[in-house]
Amino acid sequence: MTKTAMLPDGRRYVPSIEGVPTRSFAPAFGSKVIATIFMVIFLLYFVFPIYWMVIASTKTNAELTTTFGLWFTQHSDKTASPSLAQAITANYESLIGWTQGFLWRWIGNSFVYSTAAALIGTITSVMAGYALAKFNFPFKNTALGIIMAGLLMPVALLSVPIYVMFLNLGMDNTMASIIIPCAVSPFGVFLGRVYVQASVPTELIEAARIDGASEGRIFFTMVLRILAPAMVTIFLFIFVATWNNFILPQLMISSQELKPITLGLYGMASYFSPQYGPMMMASLLGVIPLIILFLALQRYWQAGLSAGSVKG
């Protein structure tokens, strides 16, 4: 039972239950209803495209225009009436044949590109952010200004110079030509600096130095542990940006074996008469890894998003 107390003015004070706001701070019923309605609308807005891809991936081109668009359907063949599983199997076999068996190779390439770029980009972003936040060195403000300018520069504007540079180095049409440019993230450095300023006390670093810890030991054994949720957020930003990157692979990659899924889907859509059902299935298979990653890391990136919101 909740204990009560008397205030000096004679009113009764009832402390709030943990996680539940007091009555004076609780939102009004109408506000909660409106907020719930908006949340449901936004949920449908973000979930509906995925739902439609699932539906469309079971249909043929004719069924996409002649059947109800929001529910599964079977093939309208007069000589056969295949089940939903058979319709999915038919589209999958058509997809594998259409891509010459490279579909899973493309998805695997995207995973390798995104994971490698995100791991390298996360650690370098945090190291650069830590240096900018906690060290004083010549031209520090100049370096910070260049990084901020990089945030304003469109990626498409840099793609051609990057391609020319890698072409002259003889590194075009390689995995490194995708991983290295995508690992360089001015936004990641900016986030790293913000998180370090908000989450890593200077007093803690000074105490470690007094105890004789080296700068490397301080960073790898203390700072990285404190910034773990923030690092997950940076990792996800770089991972998604690399996974969705199209212009850079279009310039760099020419062999089928090294294509990411974005470039493979572009090639499928470039056909004169593409099969939209198998193409929707390829799009769905290409987005499932991102969904799984976000669901698996949601507890960490949610904490990372708020890590820099409150100082101290």
Side-chain angles (χ1 to χ4, degrees):
M1 184 175 180
T2 305
K3 297 181 179 180
T4 62
M6 298 300 295
L7 297 175
D9 58 0
R11 293 181 299 166
R12 178 173 294 179
Y13 169 74
V14 181
S16 62
I17 303 174
E18 184 177 358
V20 180
T22 58
R23 186 173 182 180
S24 59
F25 290 100
F29 177 76
S31 299
K32 291 192 291 186
V33 172
I34 295 175
T36 302
I37 292 174
F38 273 98
M39 290 173 63
V40 171
I41 292 174
F42 281 111
L43 175 65
L44 294 175
Y45 176 79
F46 289 109
V47 173
F48 178 78
I50 300 176
Y51 171 77
W52 187 81
M53 278 197 300
V54 174
I55 299 299
S57 65
T58 66
K59 299 182 179 182
T60 62
N61 286 4
E63 290 172 338
L64 284 171
T65 56
T66 59
T67 61
F68 182 56
L70 300 181
W71 194 245
F72 302 98
T73 185
Q74 296 179 351
H75 290 295
S76 57
D77 190 349
K78 296 180 180 180
T79 62
S81 180
S83 64
L84 179 61
Q86 291 173 322
I88 295 174
T89 302
N91 274 359
Y92 178 76
E93 292 176 351
S94 176
L95 172 62
I96 296 300
W98 191 9
T99 59
Q100 300 177 354
F102 281 107
L103 173 68
W104 292 108
R105 179 69 176 269
W106 295 340
I107 295 176
N109 288 341
S110 290
F111 185 80
V112 171
Y113 293 144
S114 301
T115 302
L119 288 174
I120 297 171
T122 298
I123 189 65
T124 55
S125 296
V126 173
M127 293 175 71
Y130 175 69
L132 289 170
K134 298 299 181 180
F135 290 89
N136 292 319
F137 52 88
F139 306 107
K140 173 181 176 179
N141 293 331
T142 303
L144 183 59
I146 293 174
I147 293 171
M148 298 300 293
L151 293 173
L152 304 176
M153 193 168 296
V155 177
L157 188 64
L158 300 175
S159 297
V160 173
I162 291 174
Y163 168 71
V164 173
M165 181 177 66
F166 276 84
L167 180 64
N168 292 330
L169 292 174
M171 295 178 62
D172 61 307
N173 198 34
T174 62
M175 285 192 167
S177 65
I178 303 298
I179 294 173
I180 294 175
C182 291
V184 180
S185 174
F187 185 63
V189 175
F190 171 75
L191 284 182
R193 177 175 176 269
V194 171
Y195 288 138
V196 170
Q197 287 180 325
S199 304
V200 181
T202 303
E203 295 80 4
L204 180 64
I205 299 174
E206 293 175 348
R209 289 171 180 166
I210 293 173
D211 290 339
S214 64
E215 295 296 337
R217 184 176 181 181
I218 292 173
F219 178 78
F220 287 104
T221 62
M222 296 173 56
V223 175
L224 289 187
R225 293 183 181 182
I226 297 173
L227 296 178
M231 291 175 64
V232 173
T233 304
I234 298 174
F235 176 89
L236 286 174
F237 272 115
I238 300 177
F239 188 96
V240 173
T242 306
W243 188 281
N244 293 332
N245 199 329
F246 168 73
I247 296 178
L248 188 64
Q250 173 74 354
L251 293 173
M252 293 289 189
I253 303 300
S254 58
S255 63
Q256 290 279 2
E257 292 81 4
L258 296 179
K259 283 184 178 181
I261 185 61
T262 51
L263 205 56
L265 288 173
Y266 172 75
M268 295 172 65
S270 300
Y271 278 80
F272 177 74
S273 181
Q275 304 174 55
Y276 294 110
M279 191 166 66
M280 288 297 102
M281 182 175 290
S283 301
L284 179 63
L285 294 174
V287 79
I288 285 178
L290 294 179
I291 297 174
I292 295 175
L293 184 67
F294 268 87
L295 292 178
L297 299 178
Q298 63 176 342
R299 56 177 293 189
Y300 300 103
W301 66 263
Q302 287 175 349
L305 286 175
S306 60
S309 60
V310 179
K311 185 176 182 179

